[in-house]
Amino acid sequence: DGNKHLRVVIDLGMQHLMCDAEIKSTVTQLQCSYASVLNLAVDAVMARCPRDDSHSPPPGDMLFTALERKRRAARRLASAAGEECEPPRLLFSSLDGRIAAALARDEGSARWPVTTSAEPFREAAAAQLRLCANGARPIRRIVVLSPDAPAALTDPPSPEDVYVIGGLCDYKRIANATLDRADAFGVDARRLPIEETLGTNLNVNILTVNQTCECLFRARLNGGDWADALRGVLPKRKMEEVEETRRRRGEGR
């Protein structure tokens, strides 16, 4: 469609690197990714638009889940609040095998407004573009977000691009896993600008799937203020570590 929402792909093609416990954690992060950006969209819309109770469902209406009602409210009011308030469109690529089976055990996931594909992320994104050919925006570039990328993503997130988040929960920290995926598919790789905004050599260079997804959307909402976006997703404990390290080094905010 012609709306200027972000396009986010979660690449699930690295399940061979994960044990069963990591697969389970990844599925939980997928659930949180969907819920967190939706809640953020609703908060942004409600902050910019006057309350309109005429759109609220009648008391006792249990047809839709709370998240589904929020999704509909956000889309209904997004045009008044600004196109940047549109929730990102999520696509789960390479969804098969153990991770597909684990996700299927959550019966509610089948009703999420999320596109799924067994194809790798580049082919899945192109196929989705063909399905939405009428009025769909061409893909300017595909950007894989990788903590190992040498260059940071410093521009505001753009609806012209497709952002790929590695659906990987690796307790053992496999270096270059997402960077190697970008190289294999011949697309750009960028890391979140954590060092540029919070300082170097801090123990917060890797975020979870849902934190990364939410950070992208926060940076979209605030016009590219990555420091604010990162502070919004990092756990309080991590931010306290960041601030303590900055104080010891005599750095300002």
Side-chain angles (χ1 to χ4, degrees), residues 1-8 83-84 86 88-89 129 136-141 156-163 216 220:
D1 57 50
N3 293 328
K4 294 188 176 181
H5 51 261
L6 286 182
R7 295 178 285 190
V8 177
E83 290 178 321
E84 68 275 10
E86 285 248 2
R89 300 297 191 270
L129 185 64
R137 298 182 311 281
I139 297 172
R140 181 176 62 180
R141 64 173 180 165
S158 170
E160 306 301 323
D161 299 331
V162 171
Y163 298 94
L216 272 175
R220 165 69 170 159

Side-chain angles (χ1 to χ4, degrees), residues 68-151:
E68 175 65 12
R69 291 198 296 273
K70 285 187 175 184
R71 182 179 70 88
R72 293 190 170 204
R75 287 190 173 177
R76 190 164 50 235
L77 296 174
S79 59
E83 290 178 321
E84 68 275 10
C85 292
E86 285 248 2
R89 300 297 191 270
L90 298 181
L91 189 160
F92 297 166
S93 66
S94 298
L95 180 62
D96 60 9
R98 290 184 297 152
I99 202 160
L103 187 61
R105 286 194 282 273
D106 178 353
E107 296 179 358
S109 66
R111 297 190 295 273
W112 296 353
V114 172
T115 303
T116 62
S117 173
E119 296 294 317
F121 63 81
R122 189 176 60 183
E123 287 76 5
Q128 181 65 13
L129 185 64
R130 289 193 295 271
L131 288 175
C132 303
N134 294 330
R137 298 182 311 281
I139 297 172
R140 181 176 62 180
R141 64 173 180 165
I142 296 176
V143 181
V144 171
L145 296 174
S146 171
D148 300 303

Side-chain angles (χ1 to χ4, degrees), residues 179-192:
L179 184 59
D180 288 345
R181 293 282 286 178
D183 289 342
F185 286 97
V187 299
D188 290 339
R190 294 288 186 273
R191 55 180 169 77
L192 292 177

Side-chain angles (χ1 to χ4, degrees), residues 166-212:
L168 177 64
C169 174
D170 55 334
Y171 299 141
K172 48 195 174 294
R173 174 65 175 105
I174 301 173
N176 298 321
T178 48
L179 184 59
D180 288 345
R181 293 282 286 178
D183 289 342
F185 286 97
V187 299
D188 290 339
R190 294 288 186 273
R191 55 180 169 77
L192 292 177
I194 297 174
E195 292 183 4
E196 290 75 8
T197 57
L198 300 181
T200 58
N201 299 320
L202 300 176
N203 190 27
V204 290
N205 62 318
I206 300 175
L207 303 185
T208 63
V209 174
N210 51 291
Q211 286 172 334
T212 304

